[in-house]
Amino acid sequence: MWNDSMPLYKQIANNIKDDIANAKLTHGDAIPSETKLAKTYGVSRVTIREAIKQLVEEDILYRVQGSGTYISHEKIEHDILKLQGFTEEMSILDNNPSNEILEFQLMAPPEEAREQLKIGANEKVYYVKRLRLANSEPLILEASYLPVDLFPDLSIDVMKRSKYEYVSSKGYNIDRRHGELIPMMPNEEMMKHLHIAESDPLLFMQAFSTFKDGTVFEYSKVYFHPHKYSFKVVSSRNGE
């Protein structure tokens, strides 16, 4: 059954890929446990572990600590030069977007939010933490601060839908988002909500957004799922 000219774990890895295709499993589906796979293929768990490690390195599988091993997603290519909301982006891709509100509160802004929003210490903000999903799968964990003076009627119901659509409906003209992307390791909250492992580095974006008149209307911290997002940029030479 096995070919002596190729390492056994590589043969197992190829068989697992074939079985994934033949079983018509899709992204996000779990594969059987190491014990079950070892029994299926008649090899040791050590060999199975090496095969899975190879498939993880090839980005065909990914592990979730305490949960199991899953089939990787075809990553969403996010154009960082295009300013569009999550709902708009997912709708264009025919993915069904939704938002789970984890926190929603009226509060005095912390210093970093006050500085980014350019508001006084006595002004209030809405703090909203959302888990952003497409086809019921978590893609983004987002924490936002929005000035109450700009959006006095902001609500949980609004934030369950499109934030940018709501902002535009108030007659504001969204112009720019100024952000910085930073690689980081996840904390327990990120691992819990995004279903990722402690060893999965993710991309964190800290950003503020402005209207055409320069008013800062939002300060956000955004954490992107490492197995479901990639970032693309198109560069030109000599302005061509």
Side-chain angles (χ1 to χ4, degrees):
M1 178 180 179
W2 305 115
N3 185 347
D4 292 337
S5 64
M6 179 185 294
L8 183 55
Y9 76 90
K10 290 189 175 183
Q11 297 179 64
I12 297 294
N14 290 334
N15 277 30
I16 291 174
K17 283 191 278 190
D18 290 341
D19 288 347
I20 288 172
N22 293 334
K24 295 182 173 56
L25 298 176
T26 186
H27 56 257
D29 287 342
I31 66 168
S33 67
E34 290 182 0
T35 301
K36 288 184 178 180
L37 288 173
K39 185 175 180 180
T40 297
Y41 294 112
V43 297
S44 70
R45 286 184 61 185
V46 173
T47 301
I48 292 296
R49 197 168 296 125
E50 283 297 312
I52 290 175
K53 179 182 177 183
Q54 176 179 314
L55 295 176
V56 168
E57 290 173 351
E58 293 177 14
D59 207 23
I60 293 170
L61 301 175
Y62 69 96
R63 292 189 177 100
V64 177
Q65 187 173 2
S67 177
T69 304
Y70 298 83
I71 300 169
S72 294
H73 290 62
E74 181 178 347
K75 291 187 177 181
I76 294 166
E77 293 186 354
H78 179 68
D79 187 347
I80 60 175
L81 298 182
K82 185 176 183 180
L83 178 54
Q84 61 181 349
F86 175 82
T87 300
E88 178 186 3
E89 181 180 33
M90 293 302 106
S91 297
I92 291 171
L93 296 172
D94 291 325
N95 293 330
N96 182 32
S98 61
N99 297 296
E100 180 182 339
I101 308 300
L102 304 175
E103 291 186 51
F104 184 94
Q105 58 178 303
L106 180 65
M107 63 184 293
E111 184 177 356
E112 62 173 332
R114 191 168 68 246
E115 291 177 354
Q116 295 288 346
L117 293 170
K118 297 178 172 58
I119 60 176
N122 295 326
E123 297 183 59
K124 299 291 185 181
V125 297
Y126 288 106
Y127 173 70
V128 188
K129 183 179 289 184
R130 301 190 291 180
L131 184 62
R132 317 209 67 181
L133 307 100
N135 299 325
S136 300
E137 296 182 16
L139 297 185
I140 291 173
L141 182 63
E142 172 197 83
S144 300
Y145 298 88
L146 299 102
V148 172
D149 286 350
L150 292 176
F151 312 110
D153 62 346
L154 189 69
S155 66
I156 290 177
D157 188 56
V158 165
M159 295 302 286
K160 284 183 177 179
R161 301 192 298 272
S162 169
K163 175 176 57 187
Y164 278 10
E165 189 175 295
Y166 161 78
V167 171
S168 297
S169 75
K170 309 302 289 184
Y172 296 121
N173 293 313
I174 299 171
D175 185 40
R176 297 177 185 273
R177 178 173 59 201
H178 306 257
E180 180 182 13
L181 279 170
I182 304 168
M184 64 177 295
M185 303 308 294
N187 60 26
E188 289 187 9
E189 181 184 28
M190 297 168 201
M191 291 189 293
K192 173 186 173 183
H193 291 302
L194 295 176
H195 303 161
I196 57 177
E198 185 178 8
S199 59
D200 288 332
L202 50 75
L203 278 177
F204 160 61
M205 182 171 70
Q206 184 170 267
F208 66 89
S209 302
T210 61
F211 298 142
K212 287 191 179 294
D213 65 1
T215 300
V216 181
F217 70 89
E218 174 191 31
Y219 169 56
S220 294
K221 296 179 178 182
V222 186
Y223 307 89
F224 296 91
H225 196 297
H227 300 294
K228 303 175 185 178
Y229 256 94
S230 65
F231 291 79
K232 68 174 182 178
V233 59
V234 178
S235 303
S236 63
R237 184 178 175 87
N238 299 325
E240 296 176 358

